[in-house]
Amino acid sequence: MKIAYCTDSICYAGGIQRVTIAKANKLALKNEVWIIVTDNKDKPVFPLSTKVHLVNCDINYFEDDWKSRFYILKGIIYKRKQHKKRLKEILNQIQPDIVISTGTSEKNFLPYLSVSSHPVFIREIHSNKNYRSLHAQSVFDKLLAILGDFIDYRIHLKKYDRTVVLTKEDKVVHWGKNTEVDVCVIPNPIISFGSKKASLIMRISS
């Protein structure tokens, strides 16, 4: 089976990066696995199996992170077009059976791409459903959060064949009433990078 993960980057330390690499490494033992990124200037932040194919679309969304909102928006509109084109080309070369969005820059257009292998599209949600509202500071930000949630959850998410959340509580509380989305629960794996333990000595002074 051919499985393709789509995400922004695996060269920066974070939960999505750690979990994506861990799952890709494990799945690559019995499948052909790709991780397709948009921004990868350095080597993977966590050990990546040599059996996992790493492909960089070279979009570089993160270049605009320090600039003004207008410049970021302008850059995103232009770069999103490039991203769609390159990702479509890569997926049609790979001919995957399953394509997985980690919920980053590809999440709102991935299931609309025309891929000749007709893969199953899966969306992973690694955060609270209301993360936009929780991070909104100003009234404008809160309005954007409401709009973003509507576009994401009421329009684009329905195009995915399956949506994955991390906990049963999350599914029941946030997705129980949404019958238009097929939601399942897959908790994050417990990851261990070694068996060695540090030798620590605690000294208590009286």
Side-chain angles (χ1 to χ4, degrees):
M1 183 176 291
K2 295 182 178 181
I3 303 170
Y5 278 94
C6 301
T7 192
D8 283 347
S9 174
I10 57 170
C11 68
Y12 303 102
I16 291 178
Q17 290 81 1
R18 181 188 291 269
V19 170
T20 299
I21 289 175
K23 291 192 291 188
N25 286 345
K26 192 68 174 180
L27 288 168
L29 296 176
K30 295 185 178 181
N31 304 275
E32 291 185 74
V33 180
W34 284 258
I35 297 180
I36 306 169
V37 299
T38 61
D39 298 65
N40 238 52
K41 296 299 184 183
D42 300 304
K43 64 181 181 180
V45 67
F46 302 110
L48 183 67
S49 170
T50 56
K51 294 182 179 181
V52 177
H53 307 281
L54 179 60
V55 182
N56 190 1
C57 293
D58 199 27
I59 304 300
N60 302 312
Y61 285 114
F62 298 161
E63 286 182 341
D64 297 327
D65 279 0
W66 58 276
K67 300 176 182 178
S68 69
R69 285 186 178 181
F70 173 77
Y71 197 98
I72 292 173
L73 181 61
K74 180 181 178 181
I76 286 176
I77 293 172
Y78 170 70
K79 290 179 179 180
R80 195 78 81 213
K81 185 177 180 180
Q82 288 183 308
H83 190 185
K84 290 179 183 179
K85 180 180 178 182
R86 293 179 188 175
L87 188 53
K88 178 182 175 181
E89 291 173 352
I90 291 168
L91 290 175
N92 275 296
Q93 289 173 0
I94 294 172
Q95 293 289 293
D97 300 293
I98 298 174
V99 180
I100 303 170
S101 166
T102 62
T104 48
S105 56
E106 77 292 326
K107 65 179 179 292
N108 287 339
F109 68 78
L110 182 62
Y112 297 93
L113 296 181
S114 177
V115 183
S116 58
S117 60
H118 303 292
V120 172
F121 286 100
I122 297 175
R123 165 78 180 277
E124 295 180 347
I125 296 181
H126 291 266
S127 60
N128 188 299
K129 183 182 180 183
N130 303 320
Y131 75 93
R132 293 183 179 90
S133 298
L134 293 174
H135 289 89
Q137 299 295 325
S138 65
V139 174
F140 179 71
D141 288 339
K142 291 178 181 179
L143 291 174
L144 285 180
I146 293 172
L147 178 61
D149 284 350
F150 178 81
I151 293 173
D152 190 359
Y153 303 138
R154 295 295 180 181
I155 299 176
H156 299 312
L157 198 62
K158 293 190 294 184
K159 295 295 181 179
Y160 284 91
D161 298 291
R162 182 67 62 91
T163 297
V164 178
V165 297
L166 299 179
T167 67
K168 292 181 180 179
E169 181 182 10
D170 188 18
K171 178 181 178 180
V172 172
V173 173
H174 294 123
W175 302 96
K177 296 180 181 180
N178 192 335
T179 58
E180 297 178 324
V181 180
D182 188 357
V183 179
C184 70
V185 178
I186 302 179
N188 279 340
I190 297 175
I191 302 168
S192 174
F193 290 108
S195 58
K196 292 183 179 180
K197 296 181 180 180
S199 177
L200 301 177
I201 299 175
M202 181 178 292
R203 297 183 180 182
I204 301 175
S205 59
S206 57

